[in-house]
Amino acid sequence: TVDEVIRVAEAEGFDAGIHKGGVLEVARTPAQLARLKEFHAQELAFGEKDRELYDARRTAERIRVADAVGSTWTPHGARVHPVKLVKGLAAAVEALGVTIHELTPVTEIRPKHAVTPYGTVRAPYVLRCTEGFTANLKGQHRTWLPMNSSMIATEPLTDEQWESVGWDGRETLGDMAHAYMYAQRTADGRIALGGRGVPYRFGSRTDNDGRTQPETIEALREILVGFFPSLAGVRVEHAWSGVLGVPRDWCATVTLDRTSGLGWAGGYVGSGVATANLAARTLRDLVQIDSGQGVRTELTELPWVGHKVRKWEPEPLRWLGVHGLYAAYRAADRREFSTPSAESSRAARVADRISGRH
């Protein structure tokens, strides 16, 4: 799927800042290293042939993350500028004659009907691909939880600052903390870094302007400086927030109900830039089969097709649960940094079981 996104961008002739440097996951404590090795073994067991496991020295040769004790790298990942990607795709489909109706919110979905404030759209198939905003639709309030995610971007770094950091391969970067971070070296020479911030708002509320709270910006800056102490004086020039779609079992789903013509895809839990592409191609194949214009493909046989997930708990249990879980994860991370043990914190193990992530 990563290669398919790259192929389409090249074929349509738009620049989305793509660089295929792979994905590097780092560990900074003994407990994180134990989880990293387990994760690495699981990926190999699933059949990945190209993944590599690095010790502290090999990790430092790729990127100089403070206190890194190991990492795992896969070539199957790429940096991308998501807004440039979606604008390029929008221009491509409009050139094919498709009309994109912006500022037209769908408030309710029914079989063969999508209801908007300006009228009702009728179609043989109605596909819900609204991810973190699904809770705003009538009857979908507890389907997927809108998890907040926030990002910062630094000012462009100097050559000397990049020399202190390394990162010549421009891999996307993640870690093995429970309240994990993710980052990339951008095409214009910045570091863009994200994390959870305030994870969830009561009643599945979402905002529209992407404003980021000052304490969240400061928390992300602390992560940046913790990873790269030499960048302590670097300015944060941009900050923004958005929501992820989180199913109760943290597993994405692609489904087409042949009786009603309603389909949906989502629940990507933060991995949607690539996964949405795979889900869309899968929905396409399912619609073509149902309409008699296609046959079953390797995509329609994937295990997420038709996967059923129970709904989230009602409020206030939902709010208490999510905030309790992330408080436990952050406490576990603090304990793992202060207590050098290879065993994950008990609080995190309990939180994993409650959240469904185990």
Side-chain angles (χ1 to χ4, degrees), residues 209-227:
D209 60 8
R211 203 178 303 274
T212 306
Q213 295 177 322
E215 54 267 35
T216 297
I217 297 173
E218 183 56 33
L220 293 175
R221 179 182 173 78
E222 287 179 6
I223 293 174
L224 173 72
V225 175
F227 270 63

Side-chain angles (χ1 to χ4, degrees), residues 89-303:
L89 292 172
V93 298
E94 286 178 330
L96 294 171
V98 175
T99 301
I100 300 173
H101 294 279
E102 298 187 44
L103 300 176
T104 309
V106 174
T107 56
E108 182 183 357
I109 292 173
R110 301 195 300 263
K112 299 180 171 54
H113 294 76
V115 180
T116 84
Y118 313 110
T120 298
V121 179
R122 294 171 176 80
Y125 299 96
V126 178
L127 307 179
R128 169 171 57 81
C129 306
T130 46
E131 195 53 5
F133 297 95
T134 300
N136 295 333
L137 293 169
K138 184 178 180 180
Q140 303 294 333
H141 197 59
R142 292 168 53 196
T143 300
W144 290 331
L145 182 139
M147 182 80 73
N148 290 307
S149 188
S150 301
M151 292 197 74
I152 59 172
T154 68
E155 63 184 324
L157 303 190
T158 65
D159 291 342
E160 291 76 16
Q161 288 169 328
W162 281 121
E163 177 64 28
S164 71
V165 169
W167 214 345
D168 295 334
R170 292 169 171 76
E171 308 91 338
T172 60
L173 179 66
D175 73 348
M176 299 305 293
H178 299 289
Y180 48 85
M181 57 74 72
Y182 44 92
Q184 64 161 273
R185 176 174 175 170
T186 69
D188 60 350
R190 307 170 190 267
I191 293 178
L193 180 147
R196 286 295 171 264
V198 178
Y200 174 72
R201 296 184 179 182
F202 190 87
S204 293
R205 287 182 291 118
T206 59
D207 62 36
N208 294 317
D209 60 8
R211 203 178 303 274
T212 306
Q213 295 177 322
E215 54 267 35
T216 297
I217 297 173
E218 183 56 33
L220 293 175
R221 179 182 173 78
E222 287 179 6
I223 293 174
L224 173 72
V225 175
F227 270 63
F228 307 112
S230 64
L231 303 183
V234 169
R235 292 195 319 275
V236 172
E237 287 197 345
H238 304 284
W240 64 98
S241 298
V243 289
L244 320 171
V246 183
R248 188 60 182 85
D249 65 354
W250 298 70
C251 293
T253 311
V254 180
T255 300
L256 179 67
D257 183 345
R258 302 182 66 176
T259 302
S260 65
L262 294 176
W264 56 90
Y268 307 128
V269 198
S271 299
V273 174
T275 317
N277 177 289
L278 179 62
R281 289 186 284 130
T282 305
L283 271 177
R284 173 204 61 197
D285 289 357
L286 290 171
V287 169
Q288 288 181 335
I289 291 169
D290 189 64
S291 62
Q293 299 176 358
V295 297
R296 302 198 72 82
T297 67
E298 62 176 354
L299 299 185
T300 63
E301 300 303 308
L302 290 171

